[in-house]
Amino acid sequence: MSAPSAPRVVVVGAGPAGVRAAQALVEAGLRPVVIDEGRRDGGQIYRRQPEGFTRGYAKLYGSEAPKAEALHRDFDALRGKVDYRSETLAWNLTPGELHTVRAGEPQVLPFDALLVCSGATDRLAPVNGWHRAGCYSLGAAQIALKAQACAIGSKVVFLGSGPLLYLVAAQYVQAGAQVAAVLDTAPARPPLAALAGLLARPRLALRGLQLIRQLRRAGVALRKGVRPLEILGSDEHGVAGVSVFDAHGDVQRFDCDAVGLGWHLRAETQLADLARCEFAFEPTSRQWLPRLDEDGRSSTPGVYLAGDGARILGADGAEAAGRLAALAALSDLGHAPGRALYQSQHADLRRTLATMDRFRRGLALAFPWPQAQFAGLPDQAVVCRCEAVTAGELRRCVDQTGSREVNRAKAFSRVGMGRCQGRYCGHAAAEIIAHACRLPVEDVGRLRAQAPVKPLPMDTREVLS
Amino acid sequence: MSAPTRSDVLIVGGGLMGTTTAFFLRRYYGLSVTLLERELVGRQASGTNFGNVRRQGRDLDQLPLANRARAVWGRIKELLGEDLEFVPYGHLRVCYTEAQAAVLEQHAQAVKPLGLDLELFTAEGLRRRWGIFSDGVVAGSLSPVDGHANPRLAGPAFARAAEREGARIVEHAEVLHIEQEGGDFLAYAADGKVYRAPQLLIATGAWSKRLAESFGEPVPLEARAPTMGVTEPLPYAVGPSIGLSSPIETEGLYFRQIDRGNIVFGGGLKSIADPVNIRAYVKPDNTLRQLRELRRFVPGFAHAQLIRVWSGIEGYTADWKPVMGPSARVSGLHYAFGFNGEGFAISPGVGEVMAELLATGRTSTPIEPFSIGRFAGA
Ligand SMILES: Cc1cc2nc3c(=O)[nH]c(=O)nc-3n(C[C@H](O)[C@H](O)[C@H](O)COP(=O)(O)OP(=O)(O)OC[C@H]3O[C@@H](n4cnc5c(N)ncnc54)[C@H](O)[C@@H]3O)c2cc1C
Ligand SMILES: Cc1cc2nc3c(=O)[nH]c(=O)nc-3n(C[C@H](O)[C@H](O)[C@H](O)COP(=O)(O)OP(=O)(O)OC[C@H]3O[C@@H](n4cnc5c(N)ncnc54)[C@H](O)[C@@H]3O)c2cc1C
């Protein structure tokens, strides 16, 4: 138990970043609150199966099994030392207070320091026809396999770019599913700078190459440098195939009944936005990210960001970032044991993170966001699936109203106004708007987030005071 | 480019009051108009409001203006070439108590001679017609041809239409101060540009206090932030815009359903307005209280999900009447601000009246109660 005057520290997220943050806080003698909307800890990559399920670590986590096991074991050891609240959504944030809800019961958590370890989601780019039944994100395709041991279709095409594209395809092959093709929009020959970055973590880079070999051996058609044309099929019967321009500009068609789509990841930054953190445009990945210092301090005092919710460094990077941000928070709070830990550890942790960041840049260069694809996206392609806004409507909106800013275009066209609040269409919408008004994408701004962070059930009660 | 631009009328503020006035000045009177807007037109109160086009429940002295505005709403497509999603599906007020039912009844009698016919409903009548309210709702009053519109579209559409008619709309032009010189007003913008005109309209919403004061006309005006929210789309079922009539602020509530199916709602306590930084922050407890009141009002809403909340900055006067009309001190100077959370509905009427006033020096719609002179010496 910490003394009553101990700083109140709240961690959002019990993934690799959040668990390591909580662990550091406990080591320093605190009893932090840990919030996660999931049923169990582990986060995205090390998501734990429900209690009572008994698939083994090797089966669930493959090569990452030892890390998963270590994270789960360490978090189990923290039980009793942290105030862990599962199935609890952080739905809003005001200065010094986190607002949570669990099964309709809201609560206000005052904090001296907040560690936002909110992770990432798939990053999606619209493809003509992607609204048809049978289209999934790569993450959803992976979760279907991991959680329910089922494939998204009997014959699947994976389209997009990034390490997850090959990983999920390989996991499908391994599970005995039929993978018709893996279609990567990244050029066959990555730029030299990408290679330099990837070599920052040679073992991981090698594992990527192994995945590709594995897919080849299984007879999966692999294409790089493609430009998506259409997800074929009909609105009644769903997906029937995928057509792309291959690297030579020839049209290729692959029959399938399901498609997994994804272009690497995007950080979940709504809480940082509600915390009024400053954002900056990160040109390599072409996304807006909260401004951070080396230790994870945001521009808002008392608010720290770590893990994929701040920078897509992957799970190992998330573990290091979570620990470093927690120690930085304690040090800033003038907490003596925490400051001692920070002083002895921050240099190493920063070094680790610098390596991870080189690798992140390498990945972003090797598997770039397909920015060139948006200009050619046909007018009828749906961009915002929640609100059914097409590329043509968005372009017309820019033309007719002179909107040169994404929130303005949102106000007029409804793009990003639906259930997901632009988390999945926002990046693509910005590219389309920027292209339509001939501005660099960073000049059209970013969609501002508003509460609730995720849809809030209307039967949520009032806070009892 | 550097010589001050001169026009017949200078409008400061590109909310609905400014943009509608600019439009009608061009359309009806052909005066040359320059409108200066600090950032983008129609993005503050005018672009963030609930979208009620409501006449009932207003002060009686606003009724002639509201009627005039309603007439413009009915011609909106013809005037602008787009309908702003205005739907005349009615505006319904309901209440929880018999005492409030008596207030509704009295109001219906009072507005009838002013040209507004309201239809009164019993609890049973409400149930038969809409069937969504909880048992606590005892009576209602329907204004059959009022309704709602999309505020995000309105201001910018009026600005574009005004531009098409020949008005000059200048965005990113914050007016820092205004001087008088040789019968002209000179407005100094933050970028160093100067604009001049013999007639001036101050329509800077919640930010109007400073400019009015600079002409020796202080106004007790406060910035407040009404709290809004929207649900995911639900099957389309509710035509009219619906509000609760109650003297208790915490149970205040109104909602409407848009074509796409989402329920937009507002009401209750205000959130935090920060006019200096041009930000409005929604207080989470206000949102949760609104959810409570929505469930109490329409139990079926308990099953929906809230997807977004927002707020906007609105100017509230001490006596809850707008400031509208000519200055009491400076000739050529005019005001239209401080609409107390109900200016959207009447904005096209305000624009017509202010244009008439600026062009002809008089107006056929009575607006004396809104004169800034009422605060003189206060
Ligand atoms: C779909 C997907 C699939 C992936 N697959 C792989 C893979 O196979 N291999 C691999 O190496 N990497 C994979 N990654 C990347 C990997 O998941 C991350 O690098 C790693 O999990 C980052 O850890 P983290 O702690 O930053 O975030 P996460 O592990 O994502 O943890 C974030 C946690 O925060 C919680 N949370 C977020 N917001 C809130 C809120 N508002 N309220 C309450 N709780 C909240 C979430 O429930 C989650 O548990 C994948 C990522 C995604 C998005
Ligand atoms: C959340 C909310 C809900 C509401 N709901 C309703 C409703 O349902 N029905 C209804 O009838 N009314 C409603 N209202 C009220 C209505 O929105 C306002 O009364 C109306 O929009 C006021 O218009 P305006 O032009 O005076 O102000 P604004 O729209 O605020 O415009 C003022 C403009 O002046 C600009 N400005 C300020 N200072 C300067 C300067 N120095 N130089 C240049 N430009 C400047 C600002 O940038 C702004 O664009 C609501 C208001 C809010 C905030």
Side-chain angles (χ1 to χ4, degrees), chain A residues 386 405 419 456 458 462, chain B residues 43 232 260 292 295 306:
Chain A
C386 300
E405 199 268 331
R419 274 185 71 88
L456 184 73
M458 301 271 285
E462 273 189 286
Chain B
R43 197 178 221 189
E232 64 193 330
R260 170 114 189 122
R292 177 194 77 190
R295 295 191 299 266
L306 171 72

Side-chain angles (χ1 to χ4, degrees), chain B residues 15-17 37-38 45-46 49-50 52 175 314 341-345:
Chain B
L16 271 166
M17 306 315 165
E37 161 56 43
R38 177 177 52 203
S46 298
N49 71 71
F50 170 73
N52 236 351
V175 172
E314 168 71 336
E342 43 179 29
F344 177 74

Side-chain angles (χ1 to χ4, degrees), chain A residues 58-384:
Chain A
K59 190 153 180 81
L60 274 174
Y61 305 107
S63 62
E64 305 307 296
K67 289 180 195 163
E69 202 163 1
L71 195 84
H72 297 163
R73 194 181 52 232
D74 290 349
F75 194 68
D76 288 343
L78 294 178
R79 293 295 184 95
K81 297 176 186 149
V82 298
D83 178 354
Y84 170 48
R85 305 179 187 185
S86 62
E87 294 177 273
T88 303
L89 173 71
W91 73 275
N92 206 343
L93 182 63
T94 50
E97 290 183 336
L98 186 72
H99 302 259
T100 67
V101 58
R102 177 178 210 250
E105 288 301 338
Q107 206 173 355
V108 182
L109 290 174
F111 59 81
D112 300 304
L114 176 71
L115 288 136
V116 180
C117 306
S118 50
T121 70
D122 290 289
R123 195 178 189 200
L124 297 178
V127 176
N128 193 20
W130 72 317
H131 61 280
R132 298 202 164 113
C135 266
Y136 297 80
S137 72
L138 288 174
Q142 190 184 44
I143 289 168
L145 193 64
K146 272 197 191 170
Q148 280 120 31
C150 61
I152 55 172
S154 60
K155 193 174 180 194
V156 183
V157 166
F158 291 100
L159 168 64
S161 197
L164 209 52
L165 182 71
Y166 296 92
L167 179 66
V168 178
Q171 287 167 339
Y172 265 62
V173 165
Q174 214 157 27
Q178 195 188 345
V179 176
V182 173
L183 309 174
D184 190 339
T185 55
R189 234 177 277 282
L192 232 50
L195 294 179
L198 294 177
L199 286 174
R201 300 179 73 183
R203 286 198 23 231
L204 213 53
L206 202 67
R207 222 167 65 72
L209 293 178
Q210 282 165 352
L211 282 179
I212 292 172
R213 246 202 322 272
Q214 207 176 315
L215 287 166
R216 274 226 176 83
R217 263 206 307 272
V220 174
L222 295 183
R223 302 283 183 278
K224 290 207 81 174
V226 306
R227 199 148 58 74
L229 264 171
E230 189 175 357
I231 310 239
L232 306 157
S234 65
D235 291 354
E236 309 89 79
H237 300 109
V239 171
V242 174
S243 66
V244 297
F245 285 118
D246 65 15
H248 311 289
D250 297 328
V251 175
Q252 292 208 27
R253 182 194 159 122
F254 300 88
D255 292 332
C256 63
D257 59 5
V259 184
L261 283 177
W263 278 263
H264 206 28
L265 303 175
R266 57 163 282 285
E268 281 279 74
T269 54
Q270 306 99 287
L271 281 167
D273 217 341
L274 292 175
R276 308 177 193 176
C277 297
E278 280 169 26
F279 280 64
F281 184 73
E282 202 283 305
T284 323
S285 64
R286 290 173 80 84
Q287 55 185 313
W288 288 85
L289 292 170
R291 263 187 219 283
L292 285 187
D293 77 358
E294 302 177 88
D295 296 341
R297 290 179 189 86
S298 75
S299 63
T300 302
V303 176
Y304 302 79
L305 312 172
D308 275 6
R311 294 286 178 279
I312 310 294
L313 300 183
D316 298 350
E319 290 193 40
R323 181 171 189 86
L324 179 57
L327 295 179
L330 290 177
S331 173
D332 295 351
L333 286 165
H335 185 266
R339 178 166 288 174
L341 286 171
Y342 172 75
Q343 269 158 2
S344 64
Q345 297 181 8
H346 77 270
D348 275 353
L349 288 165
R350 282 182 186 175
R351 246 192 314 281
T352 304
L353 287 174
T355 307
M356 306 277 177
D357 197 55
R358 278 205 299 286
F359 186 73
R360 172 193 71 77
R361 279 180 52 82
L363 277 183
L365 291 167
F367 303 103
W369 172 241
Q371 60 188 84
Q373 157 181 328
F374 300 103
L377 190 68
D379 275 348
Q380 77 268 21
V382 173
V383 176
C384 167

Side-chain angles (χ1 to χ4, degrees), chain B residues 12-18 36-40 44-46 48-52 58 173-175 203-205 207 210-211 226 228 311-314 336-337 339 341-345:
Chain B
V12 187
L16 271 166
M17 306 315 165
L36 306 176
E37 161 56 43
R38 177 177 52 203
E39 34 130 58
L40 295 176
Q44 296 303 322
S46 298
T48 56
N49 71 71
F50 170 73
N52 236 351
R58 289 183 175 274
E174 179 180 13
V175 172
T204 42
W207 295 269
R210 188 178 56 82
L211 288 175
M228 303 288 120
S311 184
I313 303 178
E314 168 71 336
F337 65 84
F339 286 90
E342 43 179 29
F344 177 74

